Amino acid sequence: VRGPPGSGKSSYVREHAGPNDVVICLDTIIMTLTKLPEHHSTPWALPKALEIRNAKLRKLASDTQHDRAWFIISAPNPRDIAVWKARLGGEIVVLATPLSECVRRIKADPARAGLTDRMIEVATSWWARNPHLRAQQYHTEMCG
């Protein structure tokens, strides 16, 4: 599931994931590592969190315990999507929530306090790289 900050990626997965599904989310891994609130981090956490996330993604190749896997990622660069498609297969759900709504959600979320300017900048940049999605609320890209 990909989309800009404030698009509702985590909410979408919470609504659609089953009880026997695995969810891989960098924000959740960082929270577990740092014990800080969601969206807050420390400089040392990102490399370690990426290492853990990538190990979880590699484990999917042999996972027989879970029904489905959900991978939450912003993925602002459309070229990166081809890499994820090739590596993971499955289906990519793009949450193409309009920038104005992303900004409203970012500003309204107490967990993002102190980070709103940076997150709005990231959401704006995401949309600058994905203008072809503007007319769609949800976009699904099937993978091979």
Side-chain angles (χ1 to χ4, degrees), residues 43-108:
W44 63 266
L46 184 59
K48 181 65 177 167
L50 286 169
E51 181 182 314
I52 293 168
R53 182 202 68 186
N54 292 341
K56 289 177 180 257
L57 289 170
R58 284 189 298 275
K59 278 183 160 181
L60 293 177
S62 61
D63 185 341
T64 58
Q65 297 178 3
H66 298 98
D67 295 335
R68 294 173 74 183
W70 297 87
F71 176 34
I72 300 172
I73 186 170
S74 181
N77 189 339
R79 286 178 275 166
D80 293 341
I81 298 309
V83 173
W84 291 115
K85 282 181 181 182
R87 289 182 181 170
L88 300 174
E91 178 182 307
I92 297 175
V93 176
V94 182
L95 297 187
T97 305
L99 178 59
S100 59
E101 178 61 14
C102 292
V103 170
R104 186 195 69 73
R105 291 176 183 178
I106 290 166
K107 288 180 176 180

Side-chain angles (χ1 to χ4, degrees), residues 113-124:
L115 306 170
T116 56
D117 289 344
R118 181 178 64 83
M119 290 192 162
I120 290 169
E121 188 177 304
V122 172
T124 301

Side-chain angles (χ1 to χ4, degrees), residues 9 22 33-34 62 65-66 72 75 87 111 122 126 130 134 142:
K9 297 178 298 292
V22 62
L33 281 174
T34 64
S62 61
Q65 297 178 3
H66 298 98
I72 300 172
R87 289 182 181 170
V122 172
W126 192 97
N130 294 277
R134 286 195 193 274
M142 296 304 293

Side-chain angles (χ1 to χ4, degrees), residues 9-32:
K9 297 178 298 292
S10 296
S11 297
Y12 180 91
V13 171
R14 274 192 299 274
E15 289 175 22
H16 293 86
N20 199 38
D21 292 354
V22 62
V23 176
I24 300 171
C25 175
L26 192 61
D27 287 344
T28 302
I29 295 168
I30 289 173
M31 283 177 29
T32 301

